[in-house]
Amino acid sequence: PAIYENPGRQDLTADVNFTDLQNWSQPWVREQKLTGFGEFLQGSSDSGGLADPHGAGGAFLVLDQRR
């Protein structure tokens, strides 16, 4: 519960092994796509600069899975 005490004022990022996550979840998903955060946000009308490839858009990955 302590990690929710300072929203917006602390780092909650973590390293994720996307290869393992994709392999472990494969029996339950029919489609998986690993993309950069900026690409994931494309088409969003208000990304607030988060799609910048020199900032968060290029620093983070998104695993989109569909059942």
Side-chain angles (χ1 to χ4, degrees):
I3 66 168
Y4 300 109
E5 292 178 3
N6 297 305
R9 294 190 175 97
Q10 64 191 26
D11 184 9
L12 298 177
T13 59
D15 290 325
V16 175
N17 185 329
F18 285 107
T19 302
D20 283 347
L21 185 56
Q22 286 174 299
N23 290 336
W24 292 333
S25 62
Q26 197 167 24
W28 300 281
V29 297
R30 61 179 165 82
E31 183 180 336
Q32 299 188 75
K33 183 178 180 185
L34 183 63
T35 61
F37 190 50
E39 183 181 344
F40 178 77
L41 291 176
Q42 283 182 343
S44 174
S45 60
D46 184 25
S47 65
L50 291 173
D52 180 0
H54 301 290
F60 299 102
L61 294 173
V62 174
L63 178 59
D64 185 12
Q65 296 180 312
R66 300 181 191 256
R67 290 186 72 179

